[in-house]
Amino acid sequence: RKEVEQDPGPFNVPEGATVAFNCTYSNSASQSFFWYRQDCRKEPKLLMSVYSSGNEDGRFTAQLNRASQYISLLIRDSKLSDSATYLCVVNMNSGYSTLTFGKGTMLLVSP
Amino acid sequence: NAGVTQTPKFRILKIGQSMTLQCTQDMNHNYMYWYRQDPGMGLKLIYYSVGAGITDKGEVPNGYNVSRSTTEDFPLRLELAAPSQTSVYFCASSLQRGTSVSRTDTQYFGPGTRLTVL
């Protein structure tokens, strides 16, 4: 099983749509989870951390399911500016000081 | 603050040449990282450093070397460049308070260096 697995997409949605991405991770001992955003030919930037109880930041909602080892990101009311690749990122081991990045899911929002 | 800066932005190397990719951060972060990103692939960790004078290998260290003589600088050295090292290289830094990554430990990335080895 790959360490951090994501559907590469692309997900093509119209403006205003709601879209959800999932990500699965292989190590049940993982403790820290993030979603990063990467625009074309740019560096990754933190979108949000993922808390055990789930968390929301404006139009973005992140959920963690430890039992099934997956993380989700929900984007409501999609904007053209949301078009990007969304990277699922996991601290693979408790006590481990580095992160493992998924390959990313591409989102294309059209007018 | 400039954040994380990387030079050069682009470089073309011939097989067998060597070069150093520069990375500097002005946020007084203790952790610094080097990643490579190949097309359609996730970021792969090359090397990382938890502080000045301390470095450790990541997932794909072969063909690279690093040093960390100051908190601010973390250069990546390529010796004997090979076509397989054609990639986009990202440097990142973070302020990590514990020995493991917590959900508050944001990594800040530089703009990247696009390297082609022909």
Side-chain angles (χ1 to χ4, degrees):
Chain A
R1 182 177 181 180
K2 293 180 183 175
E3 290 187 309
V4 179
E5 198 158 358
Q6 298 181 250
D7 181 343
F11 284 59
N12 288 285
V13 302
E15 268 188 298
T18 295
V19 62
F21 310 135
N22 286 335
C23 161
T24 57
Y25 60 95
S26 60
N27 192 325
S28 59
S30 295
Q31 294 294 323
S32 300
F33 310 90
F34 309 86
W35 284 100
Y36 276 69
R37 170 192 168 129
Q38 186 172 25
D39 293 311
C40 187
R41 301 177 71 83
K42 299 285 190 181
E43 72 273 21
K45 293 183 180 178
L46 178 70
L47 178 67
M48 58 196 303
S49 301
V50 184
Y51 291 66
S52 297
S53 55
N55 49 301
E56 189 173 304
D57 183 1
R59 298 181 293 108
F60 299 85
T61 301
Q63 297 279 355
L64 169 63
N65 185 319
R66 285 190 185 275
S68 300
Q69 292 176 217
Y70 81 78
I71 308 151
S72 65
L73 177 67
L74 181 77
I75 305 175
R76 290 182 300 278
D77 189 23
S78 298
K79 311 290 184 192
L80 295 176
S81 56
D82 293 335
S83 296
T85 296
Y86 291 84
L87 308 176
C88 177
V89 185
V90 178
N91 163 233
M92 289 304 293
N93 288 293
S94 178
Y96 200 51
S97 56
T98 63
L99 298 173
T100 299
F101 286 74
K103 294 180 182 179
T105 297
M106 183 183 291
L107 172 64
L108 300 173
V109 181
S110 55
Chain B
N1 286 353
V4 180
T5 57
Q6 292 183 237
T7 57
K9 286 188 169 54
F10 305 92
R11 184 74 186 268
I12 298 175
L13 283 182
K14 294 182 180 178
I15 294 172
Q17 287 185 321
S18 60
M19 75 166 293
T20 298
L21 282 68
Q22 302 292 344
C23 175
T24 300
Q25 54 93 6
D26 62 0
M27 297 176 281
N28 203 29
H29 285 172
N30 50 350
Y31 279 61
M32 295 188 75
Y33 312 82
W34 274 107
Y35 296 91
R36 60 175 288 173
Q37 186 175 35
D38 300 326
M41 303 296 287
L43 280 82
K44 300 291 185 185
L45 183 64
I46 305 171
Y47 271 96
Y48 69 102
S49 168
V50 304
I54 307 170
T55 63
D56 207 349
K57 294 178 181 179
E59 187 180 353
V60 289
N62 291 345
Y64 307 94
N65 279 300
V66 293
S67 60
R68 182 103 182 264
S69 56
T70 66
T71 300
E72 294 78 21
D73 300 305
F74 190 40
L76 177 72
R77 178 83 177 161
L78 277 73
E79 306 281 2
L80 298 175
S84 60
Q85 293 179 305
T86 294
S87 191
V88 180
Y89 291 84
F90 289 104
C91 179
S93 72
S94 67
L95 182 63
Q96 197 157 305
R97 294 168 178 83
T99 56
S100 63
V101 180
S102 81
R103 61 191 183 195
T104 59
D105 292 334
T106 304
Q107 287 193 14
Y108 295 87
F109 286 78
T113 294
R114 297 184 179 277
L115 175 67
T116 302
V117 182
L118 300 173

